[in-house]
Amino acid sequence: MLAPVLLSLSAAAAYAQNTLESVSATMQSESQVVRVDFARPLTEVPAGFLVQSPARIALDFPGTSSAVGRSAIDVNQGNLHSLNVVQAGERTRLVLNLRQATSYKAEMQGNSLLVMLDPAVGPAKVMPVSSAFAENRNRDVLPLREVDFRLGAEKTTGRVIVDLANSQVGVDIRQQGRNLVVDFAQSTLPEGLQRRLDVADYGTPVQLIATQQVGDRVRMTIEPKGDWEHSAYQRNNQFVVEVRPRTTDATKLTQGVGYTGEKLSLNFQSIDVRTLLQVIADFTNFNIVASDSVTGTITLRLQDVPWDQALDIILEAKNLGMRKNGSVLRIAPEDEINSKEKLKFESQAAIQNLEPMQTRSFQLNYAKAPMIAQSLTGGGSSSSGASGSTARILSARGSVIAEPRTNQLFVSDIPTRIAQVAELIQKLDVSMRQVLIEARIVEASDTFSRSLGVKLGGSTKGSNSSIGTQATTSSDGTTTFSGNSSSNFVNLPASSSSGSSVGTFAVSLYNSSMSKILNLEISALEDEGKGKVVASPRVVTADQTKALIEQGTELPYQTATSSGATSISFRKANLKLEVTPQITPEGNIILTLDVNKDSVGQSTSAGYAINTKHIQTEVLVENGGTVVIGGIFELTDNTDESRVPLLGELPMIGALFRSRTRTLNKTELLVFITPKMIAERTALR
């Protein structure tokens, strides 16, 4: 990938450490040599990189200004087409524009740098954009020497350094998803370098570096995080990838949404607009055609902005418009472009009014002919003539006839509109996907009650008044006792809310003469019950089509009319599932649900009450998945106690003068929904 190339016509900074004085190119045997002269010797061979398409070699000189006086130098000699010397701040870049991609060697001689281009082999060819470095020239498979990670000068930049076997190793770097992938052709990976480097602790965007052998090449995967950008270059046998955080400088114009061009810098005072457009054309290799109406001058300073954003800024400043046709940009005043396009459209409309009509029939398989006819006419009738709707597909002269019996459409219109109608019908006349929706409504109940009570009474033999139990003597002298509930001085028995029988235990105490009787009766009950009701309605429907299934009972009740008479009406107590599915492009299902679970309640003077459970919602569920769309949990815990005042509060003995009942009821309602797309003609089972 080509790193951003900076184009600047401003003067060199006065505080630059070195100065690029001249650039020249000569032929030596079959090779070309580019000589770059500096005011002082370079400390090291500069970093550079090769680009396959367009074929370029770029060399960066940090801390250097340009004194060449011009940015473009025509060579047109051998494989070298031209040279560009561009400066941005304290950095100068030399770009060699080639006819065919090739490799190079660089060496220093005093105050000069010699760049020797290798002869181009074979006819010129277009290389993939992802191949950002020299084509592989290794004849043998050679091992990589070292893979290392270091911090850059900014401490937030990660530098991945690879020592190659030689300078002829072919390198392919590309961005794959969120990762960078680098392939080294005709190379092997020694066992000691087959490792994963975890460099997340260094605080750079680079998190992990994984290197592995893939066939006859070595593949390196660099995993960055956050918002980042990268650059890569090769210096002799060393290949370097730099990954840095993408920063925003408030003093610079930033890349806008949709701008993807290479970055450039422009600094002009009162430059002619036509000349400025020519500068952008030379930079972008686009063909620009400017109207004779494009005139005037402009003063601007743009630093590090994409070229397409810079062009938009220039056009907006001079009220110009642009139309693109392939690699040609046509630029003219906005009013002039709009006027020409208006004339073009008016002529097309006039041709449509004169163009002969055609009639074509369409046989529909799945869609209904009247509905498609309404779509073609913008929701109007299927008769001829304009309907005045903006959604109309047919022209003003077009008409459509829908035949419901054979489900056909007969369309009459100009040929271009007939083609549009055919394309629309092809997209609309498709089978709709179907969805099986199953609901499971579960009602669970758990009841528990416990009751403990007592009866206590007594009587005296021969007395007409009894305290609790009356003693009687038969003719044979046998004494019997009969209980009298009304004479019990403690009457607090256990009770059952469900109507279950209560267990009792009775004891009678009397003296040897049978004159005094004491009767004690203890009653106790423990009642437990569990219940579960499951309802499972299922329905199949087409995508985005409402479906309804219900089952239940209609209960009659009386209503009064306006005349004073009474009439019978009915109210439903039923189980109902109403659903509208929508299949998303990802394969999930959106459900619009309305679920009722009603039952007959207690009887009242006005009729039966209805116990209602109702859920209405919209959920997103994966195909075949199950979701709980709602639930109700109820817990009732009651404790009742009846006792004789004072006596019932006594310890130990107080149990004979009180009755206790505890009731614990739990009910729970859950509603499960499972949607599933079904294949065509699959039956509901």
Side-chain angles (χ1 to χ4, degrees):
M1 186 175 64
L2 178 61
V5 179
L6 304 177
L7 175 61
S8 176
L9 301 179
S10 58
Y15 49 80
Q17 300 176 4
N18 203 348
T19 304
L20 192 155
E21 296 182 339
S22 63
V23 181
S24 60
T26 59
M27 290 290 297
Q28 294 183 5
S29 184
E30 296 181 356
S31 301
Q32 287 178 289
V33 178
V34 178
R35 183 185 184 92
V36 188
D37 297 325
F38 296 89
R40 288 184 293 274
L42 299 177
T43 57
E44 60 178 352
V45 176
F49 59 89
L50 296 87
V51 179
Q52 297 287 350
S53 180
R56 293 177 182 175
I57 297 175
L59 299 172
D60 283 338
F61 306 100
T64 304
S65 62
S66 174
V68 175
R70 52 178 176 165
S71 61
I73 302 174
D74 292 332
V75 178
N76 292 323
Q77 189 179 66
N79 191 30
L80 184 59
H81 179 268
S82 62
L83 301 171
N84 288 103
V85 181
V86 293
Q87 179 185 344
E90 300 181 18
R91 179 185 296 268
T92 298
R93 174 169 292 181
L94 173 63
V95 180
L96 285 67
N97 300 307
L98 309 176
R99 291 187 173 88
Q100 183 179 351
T102 185
S103 58
Y104 74 97
K105 296 179 182 178
E107 63 179 32
M108 295 183 295
Q109 289 186 1
N111 292 2
S112 301
L113 175 70
L114 301 181
V115 181
M116 293 157 283
L117 304 180
D118 293 338
V121 179
K125 57 182 179 180
V126 178
M127 301 296 292
V129 176
S130 61
S131 300
F133 293 91
E135 184 181 358
N136 181 56
R137 299 180 185 275
N138 282 342
R139 295 185 178 180
D140 300 323
V141 179
L142 301 176
L144 299 182
R145 296 178 180 177
E146 184 60 62
V147 177
D148 195 9
F149 176 82
R150 298 176 188 173
L151 290 176
E154 299 84 1
K155 302 301 181 183
T156 57
T157 300
R159 303 177 69 225
V160 182
I161 303 174
V162 182
D163 289 338
L164 307 176
N166 55 51
S167 60
Q168 304 301 319
V169 175
V171 183
D172 174 64
I173 181 171
R174 62 191 182 278
Q175 184 172 345
Q176 184 172 313
R178 291 293 300 169
N179 299 334
L180 280 176
V181 178
V182 187
D183 285 341
F184 302 94
Q186 294 294 311
S187 301
T188 60
L189 187 65
E191 185 176 354
L193 300 181
Q194 297 180 6
R195 60 181 185 267
R196 295 165 60 91
L197 298 179
D198 188 351
V199 294
D201 295 338
Y202 285 89
T204 71
V206 181
Q207 303 295 298
L208 189 68
I209 304 170
T211 312
Q212 59 182 342
Q213 186 77 42
V214 179
D216 61 349
R217 61 178 54 200
V218 175
R219 175 163 296 174
M220 173 185 292
T221 303
I222 303 174
E223 299 182 9
K225 74 170 184 178
D227 192 12
W228 52 272
E229 59 184 1
H230 78 281
S231 60
Y233 60 88
Q234 183 175 336
R235 182 170 53 197
N236 297 329
N237 297 350
Q238 195 174 73
F239 177 78
V240 180
V241 180
E242 292 187 353
V243 182
R244 65 187 67 85
R246 191 188 303 273
T247 58
T248 301
D249 191 346
T251 63
K252 296 181 180 180
L253 291 175
T254 57
Q255 181 173 349
V257 177
Y259 296 119
T260 59
E262 298 180 28
K263 294 181 180 179
L264 54 76
S265 296
L266 299 172
N267 189 353
F268 295 104
Q269 295 289 332
S270 299
I271 185 174
D272 186 75
V273 174
R274 301 175 69 89
T275 304
L276 184 56
L277 294 177
Q278 183 62 41
V279 172
I280 295 178
D282 293 339
F283 179 78
T284 61
N285 291 328
F286 267 97
N287 301 309
I288 294 182
V289 178
S291 170
D292 293 338
S293 304
V294 178
T295 58
T297 61
I298 187 172
T299 298
L300 77 164
R301 183 182 185 277
L302 302 177
Q303 188 72 26
D304 261 0
V305 297
W307 72 263
D308 44 356
Q309 184 183 13
L311 181 58
D312 280 349
I313 293 172
I314 296 170
L315 298 180
E316 183 179 358
K318 303 303 292 183
N319 196 24
L320 299 175
M322 178 186 66
R323 297 297 182 267
K324 181 180 178 182
N325 186 5
S327 62
V328 178
L329 301 180
R330 184 167 59 90
I331 296 176
E334 192 72 38
D335 294 340
E336 180 180 329
I337 292 180
N338 294 338
S339 177
K340 289 183 178 180
E341 290 184 345
K342 180 181 179 181
L343 292 175
K344 178 182 177 181
F345 294 147
E346 289 177 349
S347 62
Q348 290 178 350
I351 292 175
Q352 287 183 358
N353 292 330
L354 301 175
E355 194 172 358
M357 302 280 287
Q358 292 183 358
T359 300
R360 181 177 172 183
S361 64
F362 297 92
Q363 177 66 59
L364 303 182
N365 297 317
Y366 303 100
K368 296 182 179 180
M371 296 182 61
I372 299 296
Q374 290 183 3
S375 300
L376 298 178
T377 57
S381 63
S382 59
S383 60
S384 61
S387 65
S389 175
T390 57
R392 180 181 174 89
I393 304 299
L394 300 178
S395 67
R397 301 164 58 201
S399 64
V400 57
I401 299 175
E403 175 54 49
R405 185 174 60 86
T406 58
N407 202 31
Q408 291 187 82
L409 284 178
F410 299 91
V411 181
S412 297
D413 212 327
I414 60 178
T416 55
R417 294 300 178 95
I418 291 288
Q420 294 178 9
V421 170
E423 183 179 358
L424 178 63
I425 291 178
Q426 185 179 6
K427 295 180 179 179
L428 296 180
D429 188 27
V430 295
S431 61
M432 299 184 65
R433 290 176 291 181
Q434 300 185 84
V435 183
L436 166 66
I437 301 101
E438 180 179 2
R440 291 188 296 278
I441 305 172
V442 181
E443 293 182 86
S445 62
D446 189 354
T447 61
F448 175 81
S449 64
R450 177 182 293 168
S451 181
L452 181 63
V454 64
K455 287 183 180 181
L456 184 62
S459 66
T460 302
K461 183 178 180 181
S463 173
N464 291 330
S465 62
S466 61
I467 301 176
T469 305
Q470 179 67 43
T472 58
T473 304
S474 61
S475 57
D476 57 0
T478 303
T479 302
T480 60
F481 303 93
S482 60
N484 189 347
S485 60
S486 61
S487 61
N488 290 334
F489 54 81
V490 177
N491 188 17
L492 299 172
S495 61
S496 172
S497 59
S498 62
S500 303
S501 300
V502 179
T504 60
F505 175 75
V507 177
S508 298
L509 301 178
Y510 53 90
N511 57 10
S512 58
S513 61
M514 307 294 284
S515 60
K516 295 181 179 180
I517 302 300
L518 181 64
N519 193 30
L520 175 65
E521 180 181 307
I522 299 175
S523 58
L525 171 69
E526 188 170 291
D527 192 1
E528 183 176 3
K530 293 184 178 181
K532 184 177 182 181
V533 178
V534 179
S536 182
R538 293 188 295 173
V539 64
V540 175
T541 183
D543 182 24
Q544 301 188 41
T545 303
K546 180 185 293 187
L548 172 65
I549 184 172
E550 62 179 346
Q551 176 188 3
T553 304
E554 290 192 355
L555 302 176
Y557 64 95
Q558 290 185 352
T559 58
T561 62
S562 58
S563 62
T566 60
S567 62
I568 301 298
S569 299
F570 292 87
R571 183 182 177 187
K572 294 181 179 180
N574 59 358
L575 170 66
K576 183 185 74 170
L577 171 63
E578 184 178 307
V579 58
T580 303
Q582 177 184 345
I583 303 174
T584 66
E586 296 85 0
N588 298 325
I589 303 173
I590 299 175
L591 299 175
T592 302
L593 292 159
D594 192 347
V595 182
N596 270 24
K597 177 64 173 70
D598 300 339
S599 60
V600 180
Q602 63 184 4
S603 177
T604 66
S605 59
Y608 284 99
I610 297 178
N611 300 326
T612 300
K613 301 176 181 66
H614 184 202
I615 295 178
Q616 187 172 2
T617 185
E618 183 174 306
V619 294
L620 174 65
V621 192
E622 64 179 2
N623 181 28
T626 300
V627 63
V628 180
I629 65 170
I632 300 174
F633 178 79
E634 293 183 12
L635 174 62
T636 304
D637 191 352
N638 294 327
T639 301
D640 300 324
E641 180 178 288
S642 301
R643 63 175 179 267
V644 177
L646 299 179
L647 295 178
E649 299 175 2
L650 296 176
M652 304 297 291
I653 302 177
L656 301 176
F657 300 94
R658 62 175 176 257
S659 172
R660 286 183 177 177
T661 302
R662 183 185 180 187
T663 303
L664 181 64
N665 295 330
K666 292 187 294 184
T667 60
E668 186 172 9
L669 170 68
L670 294 175
V671 180
F672 301 85
I673 295 292
T674 303
K676 183 179 180 181
M677 287 186 287
I678 59 177
E680 189 176 359
R681 295 184 297 274
T682 298
L684 176 63
R685 297 178 180 178

